[in-house]
Amino acid sequence: MARKIDEDKIVRIKEATMQTIVENGIESTTIAMIAKNAGVSGGYLYRTYKGKQDLINELYYDKVNSLYKELEFLLALNQTSIKPLIESFIQNRIVYFLNEPIASKFFYQLLHNENFIASDEIKLKSVQLMERIKEIGVKSKEISSVTSTYQLHYHILVYAVDYINFTRKNIFGEQEVSMDDVKKLTENILKILK
């Protein structure tokens, strides 16, 4: 008989994973640290996940999948221009950062970790989605026809996340992430893609 999975424990494990990785980095984080922070035994964690990489992969897949669903929803709302899509997507990234700073920082760390590689399924979804966005952008003359899907992926999915986290670090003094950044980032991205 299969063991029942306690959904509350799974939520605690995922939150503890993000928190522990944000505090210690991906490489330094261990299963024992995650289990301790989640208030579960290491054995329970290993019964649920094969290891740290399996857990991280699931978190990454969940996050990226939700981003793609969001972009698909925004695409369905507007089939003639990508500006509202980009603007809404950036606004949502800022709101997410302000409301879920740990999860936002965790995702940022994954995006910039050399040892982490997205699955083929995620790569395929990304290419398909970026091709749909490009088609609309080229028709509306908001995107150059020579812009690659790779460039679209970076500028739509990664650029805002990078900007938010760079601003969060407050390297140049009194900077804060705010909704005022939405228009500026949208204009910058559209200029780059044209």
Side-chain angles (χ1 to χ4, degrees), residues 21-178:
I21 286 174
V22 165
E23 290 173 358
N24 301 290
I26 292 172
E27 284 77 17
S28 297
T29 295
T30 65
I31 285 290
M33 293 164 73
I34 294 168
K36 181 181 177 187
N37 290 340
V40 300
S41 71
Y44 180 84
L45 213 149
Y46 276 114
R47 282 192 305 272
T48 311
Y49 298 98
K50 292 176 187 169
K52 178 175 78 170
Q53 193 62 46
D54 189 42
L55 177 53
I56 291 170
N57 288 346
E58 184 175 311
L59 283 165
Y60 184 77
Y61 179 83
D62 290 349
K63 178 59 182 164
V64 171
N65 207 35
S66 72
L67 291 176
Y68 290 162
K69 285 180 181 177
E70 178 184 336
L71 282 171
E72 287 169 350
F73 175 77
L74 293 171
L75 267 172
L77 291 177
N78 192 330
Q79 298 282 316
T80 59
S81 172
I82 64 162
K83 182 177 181 178
L85 175 143
I86 292 172
E87 197 166 54
S88 294
F89 192 73
I90 291 169
Q91 181 175 330
N92 292 344
R93 297 296 59 73
I94 291 173
V95 168
Y96 181 72
F97 171 77
L98 295 172
N99 292 329
E100 301 284 341
I102 297 300
S104 183
K105 292 173 192 175
F106 169 77
F107 185 64
Y108 173 78
Q109 284 190 7
L110 285 184
L111 285 175
H112 298 309
N113 185 287
E114 296 273 334
N115 299 319
F116 186 79
I117 299 171
S119 69
D120 289 340
E121 178 187 354
I122 288 175
K123 290 175 189 175
L124 180 61
K125 278 185 178 181
S126 179
V127 168
Q128 292 170 339
L129 190 54
M130 292 306 128
E131 285 173 349
R132 287 174 49 207
I133 292 170
K134 181 177 178 178
E135 184 180 323
I136 293 169
V138 169
K139 279 184 186 175
S140 65
K141 299 188 183 342
E142 294 167 296
I143 297 177
S144 166
S145 62
V146 297
T147 299
S148 69
T149 53
Y150 170 79
Q151 290 169 315
L152 277 175
H153 181 272
Y154 176 79
H155 292 296
I156 293 174
L157 286 168
V158 181
Y159 179 80
V161 172
D162 280 352
Y163 179 88
I164 289 165
N165 279 279
F166 185 76
T167 303
R168 169 189 63 81
K169 291 178 183 176
N170 207 5
I171 293 170
F172 295 114
E174 298 300 317
Q175 287 182 283
E176 289 184 28
V177 177
S178 74

